[in-house]
């Protein structure tokens, strides 16, 4: 963003919580020229800020390393009516995210250095948050030819995925993982066996039978997670399971970690908040992939948050225009928006229920995503002196109601419209610039 800003920013009286350096204390935080100078008390162990420094009062709030969404669909290029890099970036800022990873299933697919560069350049001009493109694993995500990983990495791609689709051919995935391991790129997997999914519309179970909708079994996901863990073990690749949704897949990740493999996973806010029984009245805002799973699956996911098996929260923000979602359930596309509700749901459903701590939440939304995407090497996911001043300020107690119609996203497809939440974002700071705050209700 081109917003002119003072060279200094001082965040006062917040509870600074940075698990990357075991910090949890109430103090001030000084930012100079887009970098963190340090933590402390002004005039004591922190130098006095310049007279034109911008001051943010964070009393009663948590000050954390900027949140990073590992899983976001910005739809540009190709489906700008549903979302753009600018509108998605504004929604991210309003959700407390300072960085997002953009999935490559655009039109054209991001399977080249040219598309990667286009995304980066557009984001630099128009998005208030950092956008890190993820390159496709195969050309056009068709599963036939590997995409040019090194060229995309050179252009700025930070990871690889064919998200929206799995890589069905195991030999292709093995080649992809070997190549990715050599380049140090994480392989993000949309784990789904398309032959098992078939024409499935929602989780296979009693609710699907009652509604007369074709089911998608948990095995559709678990078979691919199992296969790809085996390939990760063979190739040494860092394998990251996107939007993990079943108890069985989680157990395989737990076991892989026990074996010391480089395997990580993310869970979406909708999968830890909702279950298949919530799919009522054929409301297509409850149609997503993977589908909302059973109560037992959700219980296992919550346990995975508690015991550390789940590494990150990824939104799978998937904008679809109203006209696309307002079709019969079987015809409507899969996916919901999620950037602006992720933090509220995480606080409300994970922290206030005692399933998770605030420190763990910051790990799930900032520290671990930075490590998974290699962004820790660029000084993100931490507030150590000298790191990039990407900062999320949130109030764990603020009561608010989500109104999808007020979303910065161009699309409004959310099952959480009208949901009351306890806790949410207050201000988003990217490289020392205040790009959104709750009082102004607008991004700047
Ligand atoms: Zn996916």
């Amino acid at each position: 963003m081109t917003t002119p800003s003072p060279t200094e920013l001082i965040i006062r009286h917040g509870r600074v919580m940075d698990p990357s350096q075991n910090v949890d204390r109430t103090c001030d935080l000084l930012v100079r020229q887009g970098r963190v100078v340090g933590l402390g008390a002004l005039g004591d162990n922190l130098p006095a800020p310049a007279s034109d420094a911008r001051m943010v009062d964070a009393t009663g709030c948590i000050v954390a390393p900027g949140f990073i969404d590992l899983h976001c669909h910005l739809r540009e290029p190709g489906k700008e009516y549903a979302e753009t890099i600018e509108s998605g970036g504004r929604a991210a800022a309003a959700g407390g995210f300072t960085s997002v990873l953009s999935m490559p299933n655009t039109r054209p697919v991001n399977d080249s250095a040219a598309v990667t560069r286009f995304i980066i350049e557009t984001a630099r001009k128009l998005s208030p948050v950092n956008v890190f493109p993820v390159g496709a694993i195969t050309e056009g995500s068709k599963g036939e030819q590997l995409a040019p990983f090194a060229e995309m990495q050179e252009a700025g791609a930070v990871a690889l995925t064919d998200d929206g689709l799995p890589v069905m051919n195991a030999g292709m995935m093995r080649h992809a993982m070997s190549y990715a391991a050599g380049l140090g790129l994480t392989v993000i997997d949309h784990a789904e066996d398309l032959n098992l999914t078939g024409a499935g519309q929602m989780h296979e179970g009693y609710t699907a039978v009652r509604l007369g909708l074709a089911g998608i079994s948990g095995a559709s996901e678990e078979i691919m997670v199992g296969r790809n863990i085996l390939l990760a073990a063979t190739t040494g690749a860092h394998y990251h399971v996107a939007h993990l949704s079943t108890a069985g897949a989680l157990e395989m990740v737990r076991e892989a970690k026990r074996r010391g493999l480089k395997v990580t996973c993310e869970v979406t806010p909708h999968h830890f908040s909702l279950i298949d029984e919530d799919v009522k009245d054929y409301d297509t805002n409850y149609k997503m992939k993977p589908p909302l799973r059973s109560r037992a699956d959700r219980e296992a996911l919550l346990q995975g948050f508690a015991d550390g098996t789940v590494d990150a929260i990824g939104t799978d923000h998937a904008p679809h225009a109203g006209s696309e979602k307002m079709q019969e359930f079987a015809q409507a596309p899969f996916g919901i928006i999620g950037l602006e509700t992720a933090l509220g749901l995480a606080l409300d459903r994970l922290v206030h229920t005692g399933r998770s701590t605030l420190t763990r939440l910051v790990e799930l939304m900032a520290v671990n995503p930075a490590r998974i995407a290699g962004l820790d090497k660029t000084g993100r996911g931490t507030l150590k002196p000298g790191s990039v001043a990407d900062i999320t300020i949130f109030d764990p107690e603020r009561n608010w109601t989500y109104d999808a119609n007020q979303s910065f996203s161009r699309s409004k497809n959310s099952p959480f419209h009208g949901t009351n939440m306890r806790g949410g974002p207050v201000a988003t700071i990217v490289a020392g610039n205040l790009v959104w705050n709750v009082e102004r209700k607008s991004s700047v």
Side-chain angles (χ1 to χ4, degrees):
M1 277 280 276
T2 50
T3 315
S5 61
T7 56
E8 288 191 0
L9 176 84
I10 180 87
I11 301 167
R12 301 212 68 182
H13 312 307
R15 182 174 163 195
V16 178
M17 193 172 280
D18 178 7
S20 81
Q21 46 178 342
N22 286 318
V23 165
D24 179 1
R25 64 188 170 112
T26 300
C27 60
D28 303 322
L29 189 158
L30 181 64
V31 170
R32 185 177 288 158
Q33 289 174 332
R35 300 260 164 190
V36 174
V37 174
L39 312 172
L42 275 192
D44 183 3
N45 54 346
L46 271 186
S51 57
D52 69 340
R54 183 158 198 172
M55 208 270 283
V56 175
D57 182 2
T59 306
C61 294
I62 310 292
V63 178
F67 291 169
I68 298 166
D69 184 12
L70 290 171
H71 198 135
C72 181
H73 298 273
L74 296 179
R75 304 299 189 214
E76 184 178 4
K79 287 183 83 176
E80 289 82 358
Y81 61 87
E83 195 77 288
T84 63
I85 289 167
E86 180 178 9
S87 64
R90 286 177 184 270
F97 291 99
T98 57
S99 297
V100 300
L101 267 63
S102 63
M103 296 293 111
N105 62 339
T106 46
R107 293 180 190 165
V109 166
N110 180 16
D111 59 4
S112 69
V115 179
T116 300
R117 269 197 295 270
F118 165 80
I119 293 166
I120 289 173
E121 279 159 23
T122 306
R124 201 168 283 153
K125 278 184 242 146
L126 298 171
S127 167
V129 306
N130 307 301
V131 176
F132 295 102
V134 177
I137 294 173
T138 63
E139 285 179 12
S141 290
K142 291 194 181 106
E144 292 160 7
Q145 296 274 348
L146 287 188
F149 296 178
E151 287 166 36
M152 292 189 291
Q153 182 181 35
E154 179 72 27
V158 300
L160 300 162
T161 189
D162 272 353
D163 185 59
L165 291 167
V167 177
M168 285 296 290
N169 181 322
M172 183 69 63
M173 191 57 143
R174 182 182 175 170
H175 286 309
M177 283 197 188
S178 299
Y179 187 5
L183 296 169
L185 289 170
T186 300
V187 175
I188 300 175
D189 182 32
H190 170 115
E192 178 185 15
D193 186 312
L194 296 173
N195 300 310
L196 278 174
T197 301
Q201 300 296 315
M202 67 172 290
H203 178 63
E204 187 174 275
Y206 174 75
T207 308
V209 172
R210 191 172 57 79
L211 294 173
L213 293 168
I216 301 173
S217 83
S220 170
E221 176 170 324
E222 290 152 5
I223 278 177
M224 286 304 235
V225 170
R227 185 199 82 176
N228 290 337
I229 286 173
L230 295 175
L231 295 176
T234 319
T235 58
H238 179 166
Y239 169 55
H240 177 75
V241 186
H243 44 51
L244 185 142
S245 73
T246 78
L250 189 77
E251 186 51 37
M252 284 189 269
V253 169
R254 191 177 280 126
E255 173 60 22
K257 289 183 173 202
R258 229 178 264 141
R259 289 166 59 198
L261 299 176
K262 265 186 269 177
V263 174
T264 52
C265 70
E266 79 200 18
V267 168
T268 73
H270 46 280
H271 286 110
F272 68 66
S273 301
L274 302 170
I275 58 173
D276 63 340
E277 293 166 37
D278 293 307
V279 183
K280 296 181 187 104
D281 306 325
Y282 305 94
D283 182 344
T284 59
N285 285 321
Y286 290 79
K287 180 176 178 179
M288 59 281 280
K289 244 187 195 176
L292 297 172
R293 297 294 188 184
S294 70
R295 192 175 294 276
D297 286 312
R298 180 178 60 176
E299 191 52 39
L301 298 181
L302 292 171
Q303 184 54 40
F305 276 102
D307 69 20
T309 307
V310 177
D311 296 281
I313 292 170
T315 69
D316 196 6
H317 177 80
H320 293 291
S323 56
E324 294 173 311
K325 272 293 201 183
M326 279 176 64
Q327 301 187 67
E328 279 183 47
F329 203 91
Q331 269 78 51
F334 294 89
I336 61 167
I337 57 170
L339 286 166
E340 289 152 298
T341 46
L343 176 58
L345 290 168
L347 286 164
D348 198 62
R349 314 288 169 104
L350 299 179
V351 177
H352 294 314
T353 54
R355 300 282 190 161
S356 216
T357 61
L358 282 167
T359 306
R360 176 100 176 94
L361 178 85
V362 175
E363 283 177 350
L364 291 162
M365 300 193 77
V367 181
N368 294 347
R371 287 179 185 152
I372 290 165
L375 298 176
D376 53 338
K377 297 184 202 90
T378 70
R380 294 191 167 84
T382 181
L383 295 174
K384 284 183 187 146
S387 58
V388 178
D390 286 356
I391 301 165
T392 298
I393 303 177
F394 65 95
D395 180 350
E397 298 299 333
R398 180 168 69 88
N399 285 295
W400 61 290
T401 303
Y402 176 59
D403 180 352
N405 298 318
Q406 300 292 314
S407 172
F408 284 102
S409 174
R410 285 202 171 177
S411 296
K412 314 296 173 197
N413 50 313
S414 169
F416 299 110
H417 174 67
T419 300
N420 296 317
M421 302 203 202
R422 180 175 159 209
V426 167
T428 309
I429 293 157
V430 176
N433 296 310
L434 183 69
V435 298
W436 176 82
N437 78 81
V438 72
E439 279 108 45
R440 294 171 62 113
K441 293 203 179 352
S442 65
S443 61
V444 291

